[in-house]
Amino acid sequence: MVNITGICNRELFKNFENIINNTTDLFVSGYSFSDEHLNEKLKGKEFNYINHNRSKDFPFDGNGKNIRSLNEL
């Protein structure tokens, strides 16, 4: 039996890695920074970021802004 969920997750993560590796700009919305696999990719590079998150500031190096509302843009 083929594990479709595993294949889809693997493809999503490969796409995420490709995008993260090829950009310096990052918009984060609602991410809690609690997934170590994603965090490893985010903390490995300095981004120009906007972090739209009501509960946690962007925890990695970079230049940006933590906002609570999109009205702050």
Side-chain angles (χ1 to χ4, degrees):
M1 179 184 274
V2 175
N3 181 348
I4 298 298
T5 303
I7 292 170
C8 290
N9 287 341
R10 203 168 29 252
E11 287 300 312
L12 283 171
F13 192 73
K14 283 187 345 187
N15 287 340
F16 171 78
E17 283 183 303
N18 185 44
I19 290 167
I20 290 298
N21 289 335
N22 291 298
T23 190
T24 57
D25 299 322
L26 184 66
F27 179 84
V28 179
S29 184
Y31 176 54
S32 67
F33 303 101
S34 60
D35 184 312
E36 284 305 313
H37 294 97
L38 299 180
N39 290 347
E40 283 299 315
K41 297 299 175 185
L42 294 175
K43 69 183 171 186
K45 184 174 180 177
E46 283 195 22
F47 291 99
N48 301 311
Y49 67 87
I50 294 174
N51 177 36
H52 174 239
N53 192 326
R54 295 188 177 273
S55 63
K56 190 164 185 180
D57 286 348
F58 192 76
F60 311 117
D61 292 336
N63 299 308
K65 184 176 184 179
N66 293 294
I67 63 172
R68 303 294 177 240
S69 168
L70 294 176
N71 292 332
E72 296 176 54
L73 295 174

